[in-house]
Amino acid sequence: MDLEDIPQGPVDPEVRAYVSSLVSALGGTGADKHGRYVLGDDALACLKDLRKWLKLHDEKANRLDVARCLAEGNLVSGDLLEILAIWREEATEDRIKSKIALACLELLVPLTWPIEKNDLQMTVNHHRHVPYLQLAQVSYKRAILEHGSQNILRNAVRIGLPSMALQMGQRVTRDEGIIKLLLYFFRNVAMISPPTNLPVEGNGDKISRSATIEAFHQQDVLALLLTISSNMGEDFNTQDTVIMEILFHLLKGIDMEKLFMDKAQLDATNTDELRSLLATEAGMHRNYAKNAPTRHNRFGTMIWVKRDDARVSTVSGQDVLSSTQRTFSKMDESKKWNRPKQRSKDTEPGYDRFDLPVSLDDSATRHLRAFVEEFLDSSFNPLFTNIRKAIERESDRVLEIHAQQFFYLISWFLEAERVRRKKKTNTDMRKRSLDAFEAESFALIASVLNQETFVALNRFMQDRLDLKLWREVNAGTRCFTQILLIVQEIAESPLEEDQEIAENIQNRIFYEETTHDRIIALVRGYKDQGFGYLDSCTELSHVFFRMLERYSKENVDLQVRSRRRARVRRKAAAAETGNSNDIDDEVSEMEDVVEAERVSKERKFDFGRFSSKFMTQACINTFVSFTRYYNDLNTEQLKRAHRFFHRVAFKQELSVMLFRLDIIALFNRMIKGPEGLDTAGKMYKEWDELVRQLIKKMIKKLQQRPELAVEMLFSKVNSTVFYLENGYEKQTTSSRPRPPAMLEVRGAMTRDEQIGVAVAVLFDEKIDAVNWVAKVLSSAASERQSWEAETAARQLRTDPSQESSEEPQNSPAIIVSPDNEERRIAMFKDNKLRLLMTLAGFERLGIDDEPSTTWLIPSALSARDLSETQEIIERHRNNPTMEYGDEDPKTAEEMLRRAPTVRKRAEYDDDDSEDGGILSNDEEDFLFRAGGPTETNKKSAALARLKKKRRNRRTVASGDDVGDISDDTREAKRKARLEADQEKKRKMKSKLLVRDSDDESDEDLDREFFAREEAIRRGQAERVREALQAGRINAVVGTQKRISDTSERGNGKRARLDMTTSNAEDPDVVDEQSPLAPRERSASLSSDVDESPSTPFSSPPITLSQEKGPKVMVMNDARIDSSLEGIGTKASSLTLIDQETDTESEAGDEDENDMKVVPAGRRRARVTALLLDDSDED
């Protein structure tokens, strides 16, 4: 047979041969030595070679072949342990034997190291060797603990004593390595446990927790741990995490209540547990005996059950004949749901689980209790302070699992301290009276009650909660719960110092609102994390809720710090820093940058608001899931669930939340059965009363709200709860989303450059938005070009000789449609995209800016314009400009600023409202904005500015020390100038906002006014004709003369009026071209004009001067406004003005009088001048 035909085993034969030869050369038992182990000649070299094989083959190649060969060769039990056993105390000084013992320890540590491989790391080699090696490690632990010499662990301690005896500053790297190697060996021994999926040979009690603790106590391992822990930070530093791991694997799952019981109490507790189990068994027998088969009903029975849907179900068994309820119960039991099996999300190794209970025997309990008490008295503060600092520094020796172990051990030792103090208090109070009792301080555990620990715990819980690492969250939850309980005991201490400490700690814990929110998130976040997490989160919420309620009642003015999002403007930051000189520039450049940051704000705590957060369907579901384990819950756990449901139903008056079929069925089964609560239990009566009152309220609510019968099938949302409680829907108002601030490009830039800035801003992260805008422009240009071509073709078909009365139609607007839902949201929320769309010519349809607002391309943009815009965008997209400026370059983002917007006053707003028309930039909204004031004399204004400038120059040249002006004076002058400027703006009258007052007049009054004006005009015309016919006056048309109109004099302006133009426009004015003869036109003007009625809007009547000399008759023709022009009526008036030369003072007085009578801003009237000569009277 060839060698190739030999079947290969799990290990390479060559590797097996080398390892087996080394194991054989190591030593063995000899007949001449009476069966004692004898070392080989090269034992030390063989041990070193085996270590090299483990390191180079297994560790480097990620294989387990050498470890498998060593397990099959029985190296640990047959060689290593025997070598350590024959190392006597008198041979401690022997260097060769000490080196051999150390070499054995160096092999024992990797061979007993736990195999930590998850499914992703497992290879074919691992799957082949891991089960065998796990069973081998169990045998290693059994051999170590049960060795006949009973000194394997003690001899291992002797290996590290020389290195430990040195001071920390004198130790070298080798000494630190030996100490760490020794501690890792103890950690591995404490950590090894029988695998749950593999059969274990032999008695499992020999490797149990009790056997481990007993061996550690007998061989001085616990004393070594106490020595190192108590000197942590002084003589030891880097060994803290290994000590913590050993303690974790020794203490996890141990009940502290039983740990600190004496023998009598433990026996009584065990007796009570046995009695409870017997009572439960008896109850099961009673239930079974009710329908148990007898010799007379041994025959089978099958019945048919008719259901409401006319279907028939079959149920077998004579027990279904007893009652209808039993029939339906058996039908329910027969229903099975084949739930799909999901892969377990918990990939963490099982040896890190701490929620599995572990029982200890009497000897192990006594030794462990003594160790824990000694550890609390001497080692707790040094060890956990050093570990916390290492975790905060993120030292290399700190692993991810260490944080979980750290907080779990804190919770374990705090609970042990509580139980120990409770036991000691009860003992002391029994021995002496209450007055003689002296309370002890809590200084022994003070290292975990400081602010640093609270910060680390909050950070740990929040991080693990975000990562959904539920086992680590469970550890943090247990730690927080025990801290709260120990603080509660400190607050109840008779020592004032302890009370002040408790007050301070509670204030720090309850001050952060994030802590409150985290507690609620823990309860709401339960899904399928297991009973351990369910128990810890409900306990924490119960304890936290009760303590916070009590503390808020004692401190009415309790303040909490809430962290919220706040939008802060840089303008406000600049104003706070006193940078007033740069405010103008900074506001224009930086006020548009709106930052979001988390800020802290104190507010008064409202316990009702906090408790309402607990009364949600998610929290109720968590406690319902917890209550489903009612048969396995103890008294405290049942009490916890009872208090929560009582608070929901009666204190918060939200019993509707519990009106759900599964909840009511659970409560009914707990009381009425089957398999309900023990009627002799302590919590049965309280649960019975709660369920009875709850069902009574449900029946009453069903009578009031018949809709509840349907809602009992579902969970209740807030709107449903409100309707069922009040009988009507809750009125809610939805707030409309606010559009983002509009942006603009700062500086004087062309449209091409502005588009380049917008494209550069969107280039890095939102280039798809730029591509979309270019695509829309391309499609719109094609559509617009088609329309223009069609319009041109239609015009060519039309006969150009025929004039078309129809106006040319504009091209229709093109609606901009988003390509997806994300784009539609960005068109409303992304102000940078909106800037690019605005620069491209897109317009928003309508006044309101809402998410559903339509964007369109207006008809004014031609196909050529759209194509040019598209080319500009594509050019900047292919070659974007990211920086602008040479001396001080700015990025494209910095070239944007917030566009100033003015909130327009609504049409129905009153002009004198206090808050109407407020500018968006917090400036005063004046009645008229600068843009259309009454024109002033530009020359006079320029002259005034020139004089002011010269006066300022003379002031500077005179040598006045401007620098002597104080800051307060300068600030007062600046405020005075600002106030004067605002006062000037308030008085501003703008042409842009002038409107016709006649539009607001009444039609009846207008009709009466126009009738009176028509009568006055006709009477005046008739009297003029009579005067001309009588020859009393000769109308001579004079040359154009500069005259002053009342309205123009009020404004300081002169106007030239052309009589010819005026006469041509007004047919009612009589001139020399009239068909009447000159003699006929000289009719007399009677003084009856004064007797004609007039109105405030009437034109002044004609008056003749009584003085001699040439007379000038001026006819003012003032057209009325647009409403009067529609009627076609015109108002005319003739005024005769004496043309004799007056003095300048009389002219000035006349001007003043005219300015007082005629209001400014009256429209200038047209004037026609008639020269009247006295000689014509002949």
Side-chain angles (χ1 to χ4, degrees):
M1 179 182 290
D2 297 335
L3 293 177
E4 297 179 356
D5 298 334
I6 299 176
Q8 299 291 334
V11 181
D12 187 5
E14 186 176 359
V15 175
R16 184 187 298 274
Y18 275 109
V19 174
S20 299
S21 63
L22 291 174
V23 174
S24 300
L26 185 59
T29 58
D32 56 345
K33 298 295 183 182
H34 305 286
R36 291 182 301 173
Y37 188 87
V38 179
L39 289 173
D41 295 336
D42 295 329
L44 182 59
C46 293
L47 292 173
K48 291 182 179 181
D49 290 342
L50 289 174
R51 187 183 63 181
K52 290 179 181 179
W53 272 97
L54 279 173
K55 183 176 182 181
L56 297 178
H57 189 274
D58 282 6
E59 295 182 10
K60 297 292 183 181
N62 193 21
R63 299 177 65 86
L64 300 174
D65 294 338
V66 177
R68 175 70 177 265
C69 293
L70 295 177
E72 292 176 352
N74 195 19
L75 174 68
V76 175
S77 301
D79 295 290
L80 300 182
L81 298 184
E82 296 298 332
I83 294 174
L84 288 176
I86 63 175
W87 186 39
R88 304 299 179 182
E89 293 186 3
E90 58 270 12
T92 305
E93 302 297 332
D94 191 347
R95 295 177 57 87
I96 300 298
K97 292 185 178 180
S98 300
K99 288 183 179 181
I100 293 175
L102 179 60
C104 293
L105 186 62
E106 290 177 348
L107 282 175
L108 283 173
V109 170
L111 290 177
T112 58
W113 197 277
I115 302 175
E116 301 176 1
K117 303 289 183 182
N118 55 31
D119 294 341
L120 298 178
Q121 297 174 343
M122 295 285 284
T123 63
V124 177
N125 182 271
H126 294 153
H127 283 288
R128 184 183 296 121
H129 297 313
V130 165
Y132 186 87
L133 293 179
Q134 287 179 346
L135 294 177
Q137 287 182 349
V138 174
S139 64
Y140 296 162
K141 181 176 181 179
R142 182 184 294 109
I144 293 172
L145 298 180
E146 292 185 345
H147 195 270
S149 62
Q150 298 291 324
N151 60 356
I152 299 298
L153 299 177
R154 183 180 291 110
N155 290 341
V157 172
R158 287 168 51 201
I159 296 174
L161 286 180
S163 299
M164 296 180 190
L166 300 175
Q167 294 184 0
M168 187 168 58
Q170 298 177 355
R171 297 189 196 119
V172 295
T173 306
R174 183 177 181 274
D175 297 327
E176 295 289 344
I178 293 174
I179 298 174
K180 187 171 294 186
L181 195 67
L182 174 64
L183 295 177
Y184 274 125
F185 174 65
F186 296 149
R187 190 277 310 263
N188 295 344
V189 173
M191 193 172 179
I192 293 174
S193 60
T196 57
N197 55 348
L198 295 175
V200 180
E201 297 180 0
N203 189 1
D205 295 338
K206 295 181 180 180
I207 57 173
S208 63
R209 189 77 59 82
S210 298
T212 305
I213 295 174
E214 188 71 23
F216 277 19
H217 170 71
Q218 292 179 359
Q219 302 184 37
D220 300 331
V221 177
L222 295 181
L224 176 68
L225 297 179
L226 287 174
T227 302
I228 298 177
S229 300
S230 60
N231 292 276
M232 192 63 63
E234 298 178 0
D235 295 333
F236 302 93
N237 186 22
T238 59
Q239 296 79 14
D240 49 0
T241 55
V242 188
I243 294 292
M244 181 178 66
E245 290 188 43
I246 298 173
L247 294 176
F248 175 79
H249 293 290
L250 281 178
L251 302 176
K252 64 178 182 179
I254 296 178
D255 188 5
M256 280 70 66
E257 294 285 347
K258 294 183 179 179
L259 182 64
F260 285 92
M261 291 181 182
D262 53 19
K263 185 174 179 55
Q265 293 176 344
L266 187 60
D267 293 341
T269 303
N270 294 334
T271 303
D272 293 340
E273 290 180 357
L274 179 60
R275 186 182 295 108
S276 176
L277 292 175
L278 292 176
T280 303
E281 184 181 8
M284 295 173 60
H285 284 298
R286 284 195 300 269
N287 292 332
Y288 178 75
K290 292 180 181 179
N291 304 293
T294 63
R295 63 178 182 173
H296 300 291
N297 58 4
R298 289 177 295 177
F299 300 99
T301 302
M302 179 178 291
I303 64 173
W304 287 356
V305 180
K306 292 184 178 181
R307 295 184 294 180
D308 295 338
D309 52 358
R311 294 185 179 183
V312 178
S313 299
T314 59
V315 183
S316 62
Q318 291 187 357
D319 54 343
V320 300
L321 301 176
S322 59
S323 63
T324 305
Q325 180 65 30
R326 179 60 186 170
T327 303
F328 288 127
S329 299
K330 193 160 188 178
M331 289 180 60
D332 293 338
E333 292 174 359
S334 64
K335 297 176 182 178
K336 294 183 179 180
W337 176 39
N338 296 326
R339 185 175 182 177
K341 297 181 179 180
Q342 297 181 355
R343 191 170 184 177
S344 178
K345 300 179 182 179
D346 190 4
T347 59
E348 300 178 2
Y351 50 76
D352 283 335
R353 296 191 61 178
F354 49 79
D355 52 357
L356 299 178
V358 176
S359 59
L360 301 178
D361 55 21
D362 296 341
S363 177
T365 301
R366 184 173 62 257
H367 297 323
L368 185 61
R369 179 171 63 245
F371 169 77
V372 170
E373 290 181 347
E374 251 186 281
F375 183 86
L376 286 171
D377 294 337
S378 62
S379 305
F380 182 84
N381 286 338
L383 177 63
F384 285 95
T385 301
N386 205 67
I387 296 176
R388 177 183 56 77
K389 293 179 180 180
I391 294 176
E392 291 176 351
R393 292 193 305 265
E394 297 181 358
S395 301
D396 296 337
R397 67 179 184 274
V398 177
L399 303 179
E400 185 178 357
I401 195 62
H402 288 160
Q404 169 189 330
Q405 297 176 354
F406 172 72
F407 290 110
Y408 174 78
L409 286 178
I410 289 178
S411 66
W412 197 94
F413 280 107
L414 288 181
E415 185 175 1
E417 176 66 14
R418 288 178 47 245
V419 175
R420 185 177 70 152
R421 295 178 67 88
K422 180 179 179 182
K423 175 188 174 183
K424 187 175 182 180
T425 301
N426 295 335
T427 304
D428 293 343
M429 291 181 66
R430 284 197 302 267
K431 291 181 178 178
R432 45 188 172 177
S433 62
L434 181 62
D435 297 335
F437 172 70
E438 295 181 1
E440 294 183 358
S441 176
F442 290 83
L444 298 177
I445 54 174
S447 61
V448 297
L449 299 179
N450 50 20
Q451 186 66 19
E452 291 80 3
T453 304
F454 298 154
V455 172
L457 176 60
N458 289 329
R459 185 187 301 114
F460 171 79
M461 292 180 62
Q462 189 62 48
D463 292 344
R464 300 312 187 267
L465 184 62
D466 296 338
L467 297 175
K468 298 185 186 312
L469 300 177
W470 302 115
R471 185 175 296 178
E472 299 184 15
V473 173
N474 189 5
T477 302
R478 290 172 179 266
C479 179
F480 196 17
T481 303
Q482 295 303 321
I483 288 177
L484 291 176
L485 292 175
I486 203 71
V487 169
Q488 184 177 0
E489 291 193 5
I490 296 175
E492 296 174 356
S493 173
L495 301 178
E496 294 184 2
E497 182 180 358
D498 291 343
Q499 295 177 4
E500 293 178 0
I501 293 175
E503 178 74 18
N504 188 17
I505 294 176
Q506 291 183 85
N507 190 15
R508 284 182 292 177
I509 292 176
F510 298 140
Y511 179 65
E512 296 291 342
E513 193 180 27
T514 54
T515 304
H516 307 177
D517 299 337
R518 190 180 304 113
I519 301 301
I520 297 173
L522 289 173
V523 181
R524 291 180 178 177
Y526 172 76
K527 187 178 180 182
D528 53 357
Q529 291 89 344
F531 180 76
Y533 175 85
L534 184 62
D535 183 28
S536 62
C537 72
T538 53
E539 183 181 11
L540 174 59
S541 63
H542 175 71
V543 175
F544 187 87
F545 200 90
R546 292 184 59 190
M547 289 186 61
L548 182 57
E549 182 180 14
R550 185 186 304 110
Y551 188 76
S552 61
K553 290 180 179 179
E554 296 175 356
N555 300 269
V556 182
D557 298 330
L558 176 62
Q559 298 290 321
V560 294
R561 180 172 62 182
S562 59
R563 298 176 67 83
R564 294 291 183 267
R565 288 282 181 181
R567 304 178 69 84
V568 181
R569 297 178 183 272
R570 293 190 179 181
K571 173 185 174 182
E576 291 179 1
T577 55
N579 239 352
S580 59
N581 297 331
D582 299 333
I583 282 182
D584 296 337
D585 297 334
E586 195 72 18
V587 167
S588 61
E589 296 179 1
M590 305 304 293
E591 71 174 355
D592 51 353
V593 181
V594 182
E595 297 178 343
E597 62 177 8
R598 296 193 70 87
V599 297
S600 300
K601 180 181 179 182
E602 285 190 356
R603 63 175 180 83
K604 187 176 180 180
F605 176 72
D606 185 6
F607 182 77
R609 176 184 175 185
F610 170 75
S611 60
S612 63
K613 296 180 181 180
F614 263 107
M615 308 308 155
T616 59
Q617 197 66 55
C619 295
I620 292 176
N621 292 339
T622 300
F623 274 88
V624 169
S625 301
F626 180 69
T627 312
R628 295 186 192 277
Y629 298 93
Y630 61 89
N631 281 326
D632 300 326
L633 302 181
N634 55 29
T635 303
E636 292 296 329
Q637 292 170 335
L638 287 173
K639 183 178 180 181
R640 183 193 314 163
H642 176 273
R643 295 297 184 267
F644 176 79
F645 291 124
H646 183 272
R647 180 179 295 274
V648 173
F650 300 101
K651 287 190 176 182
Q652 298 293 332
E653 296 183 354
L654 291 175
S655 56
V656 179
M657 302 287 289
L658 302 179
F659 296 160
R660 204 174 65 191
L661 284 181
D662 59 333
I663 300 177
I664 298 299
L666 174 64
F667 290 167
N668 183 70
R669 186 168 65 251
M670 291 174 63
I671 304 303
K672 302 296 182 180
E675 298 180 358
L677 288 174
D678 185 11
T679 55
K682 297 180 180 179
M683 292 298 300
Y684 178 81
K685 292 184 179 180
E686 296 185 15
W687 272 100
D688 185 20
E689 182 66 19
L690 172 66
V691 174
R692 188 171 60 83
Q693 295 295 335
L694 187 63
I695 293 179
K696 183 185 297 184
K697 294 188 69 173
M698 183 187 67
I699 296 174
K700 184 177 180 181
K701 184 63 69 175
L702 278 172
Q703 296 175 354
Q704 297 176 354
R705 307 278 186 270
E707 301 87 353
L708 180 59
V710 178
E711 293 297 335
M712 288 182 65
L713 299 173
F714 312 101
S715 298
K716 312 298 187 299
V717 295
N718 293 334
S719 58
T720 305
V721 173
F722 186 87
Y723 174 77
L724 293 177
E725 290 289 346
N726 300 277
Y728 58 89
E729 296 287 346
K730 186 177 182 180
Q731 302 296 328
T732 58
T733 57
S734 59
S735 60
R736 187 175 64 180
R738 297 177 57 184
M742 298 302 295
L743 301 178
E744 67 178 7
V745 182
R746 64 177 75 255
M749 303 181 70
T750 62
R751 178 171 172 269
D752 190 341
E753 296 173 341
Q754 292 181 0
I755 293 178
V757 174
V759 172
V761 171
L762 296 171
F763 185 80
D764 292 335
E765 299 179 357
K766 303 176 182 178
I767 188 63
D768 57 332
V770 180
N771 298 333
W772 173 74
V773 174
K775 183 179 179 181
V776 170
L777 288 172
S778 177
S779 176
S782 301
E783 183 178 348
R784 189 62 53 84
Q785 187 175 4
S786 301
W787 174 269
E788 293 175 355
E790 182 182 355
T791 304
R794 190 183 299 110
Q795 291 178 355
L796 290 176
R797 290 194 301 268
T798 305
D799 188 2
S801 61
Q802 298 178 359
E803 296 182 356
S804 178
S805 60
E806 299 180 359
E807 297 181 356
Q809 297 181 357
N810 295 328
S811 58
I814 301 174
I815 297 177
V816 179
S817 301
D819 54 352
N820 50 38
E821 181 65 18
E822 182 180 356
R823 189 84 60 216
R824 185 189 67 81
I825 298 174
M827 291 172 63
F828 175 73
K829 292 187 176 181
D830 192 352
N831 51 3
K832 299 180 180 62
L833 176 60
R834 290 161 67 101
L835 173 63
L836 180 60
M837 295 171 62
T838 304
L839 293 175
F842 297 1
E843 294 182 357
R844 192 176 68 250
L845 183 62
I847 301 177
D848 297 333
D849 194 354
E850 298 178 350
S852 59
T853 302
T854 303
W855 284 77
L856 50 83
I857 300 177
S859 58
L861 297 179
S862 62
R864 181 178 179 182
D865 298 335
L866 297 176
S867 300
E868 291 178 355
T869 305
Q870 180 193 358
E871 293 175 359
I872 294 173
I873 292 178
E874 291 181 350
R875 185 175 71 252
H876 288 288
R877 180 187 59 185
N878 297 331
N879 188 17
T881 304
M882 296 299 181
E883 292 186 355
Y884 293 84
D886 297 333
E887 298 180 356
D888 186 13
K890 295 183 179 180
T891 62
E893 189 79 21
E894 295 175 349
M895 292 299 296
L896 299 180
R897 67 180 178 186
R898 187 174 183 179
T901 57
V902 180
R903 191 178 66 193
K904 295 183 179 180
R905 191 192 304 258
E907 295 181 357
Y908 52 81
D909 287 348
D910 297 333
D911 293 337
D912 56 349
S913 63
E914 297 179 359
D915 55 349
I918 301 300
L919 291 177
S920 62
N921 56 354
D922 298 336
E923 293 182 359
E924 183 179 357
D925 187 11
F926 300 102
L927 181 61
F928 297 98
R929 61 181 183 271
T934 305
E935 296 181 0
T936 58
N937 193 342
K938 297 182 180 180
K939 295 182 179 180
S940 61
L943 181 59
R945 288 195 297 269
L946 182 59
K947 290 181 178 179
K948 183 177 180 181
K949 187 174 181 180
R950 290 176 179 175
R951 185 164 55 251
N952 293 339
R953 289 179 180 176
R954 289 194 298 269
T955 303
V956 174
S958 62
D960 295 340
D961 191 2
V962 184
D964 295 340
I965 301 177
S966 62
D967 294 340
D968 297 339
T969 306
R970 186 178 293 104
E971 181 66 19
K973 289 183 178 181
R974 188 187 66 80
K975 291 182 180 180
R977 289 194 302 270
L978 182 61
E979 181 64 27
D981 185 41
Q982 292 181 354
E983 186 65 25
K984 182 179 179 181
K985 291 180 181 179
R986 295 189 189 100
K987 297 180 179 180
M988 190 176 292
K989 302 295 187 295
S990 176
K991 290 181 180 178
L992 301 178
L993 302 178
V994 174
R995 58 182 180 179
D996 252 335
S997 61
D998 289 348
D999 293 340
E1000 302 175 357
S1001 59
D1002 190 3
E1003 293 183 359
D1004 296 336
L1005 296 178
D1006 291 344
R1007 194 178 298 109
E1008 295 177 1
F1009 165 71
F1010 295 144
R1012 287 195 300 270
E1013 288 292 315
E1014 182 66 18
I1016 293 174
R1017 189 188 64 78
R1018 290 180 179 177
Q1020 291 176 346
E1022 183 65 26
R1023 284 189 286 275
V1024 168
R1025 283 195 294 271
E1026 291 177 358
L1028 293 176
Q1029 292 175 1
R1032 294 173 56 187
I1033 59 175
N1034 293 328
V1036 180
V1037 179
T1039 59
Q1040 294 181 359
K1041 186 177 182 64
R1042 187 185 305 271
I1043 61 177
S1044 174
D1045 186 65
T1046 56
S1047 63
E1048 298 298 326
R1049 282 199 305 265
N1051 292 330
K1053 297 182 179 180
R1054 301 288 182 176
R1056 293 182 178 273
L1057 303 177
D1058 191 356
M1059 170 187 170
T1060 306
T1061 304
S1062 178
N1063 293 341
E1065 295 176 357
D1066 195 347
D1068 294 334
V1069 178
V1070 183
D1071 56 5
E1072 60 181 358
Q1073 297 179 358
S1074 177
L1076 297 176
R1079 181 66 61 180
E1080 296 175 351
R1081 285 178 298 186
S1082 60
S1084 96
L1085 297 173
S1086 63
S1087 60
D1088 297 338
V1089 178
D1090 298 335
E1091 299 175 359
S1092 62
S1094 62
T1095 64
F1097 296 98
S1098 301
S1099 301
I1102 301 176
T1103 57
L1104 297 178
S1105 176
Q1106 302 299 329
E1107 298 182 0
K1108 296 181 179 182
K1111 300 287 192 283
V1112 178
M1113 182 176 69
V1114 181
M1115 182 176 294
N1116 296 336
D1117 184 19
R1119 292 182 180 271
I1120 62 176
D1121 54 2
S1122 60
S1123 62
L1124 187 57
E1125 289 176 359
I1127 303 175
T1129 308
K1130 301 176 182 179
S1132 303
S1133 61
L1134 296 177
T1135 306
L1136 297 181
I1137 303 174
D1138 190 0
Q1139 205 164 0
E1140 291 186 351
T1141 303
D1142 296 331
T1143 62
E1144 293 181 357
S1145 61
E1146 291 176 354
D1149 296 338
E1150 186 179 355
D1151 292 343
E1152 293 177 1
N1153 295 333
D1154 291 341
M1155 289 179 64
K1156 294 178 181 179
V1157 174
V1158 182
R1162 182 177 178 182
R1163 190 169 50 189
R1164 187 175 59 195
R1166 288 179 305 216
V1167 179
T1168 301
L1170 298 177
L1171 297 180
L1172 305 179
D1173 193 0
D1174 292 343
S1175 62
D1176 292 339
E1177 296 177 358
D1178 299 334

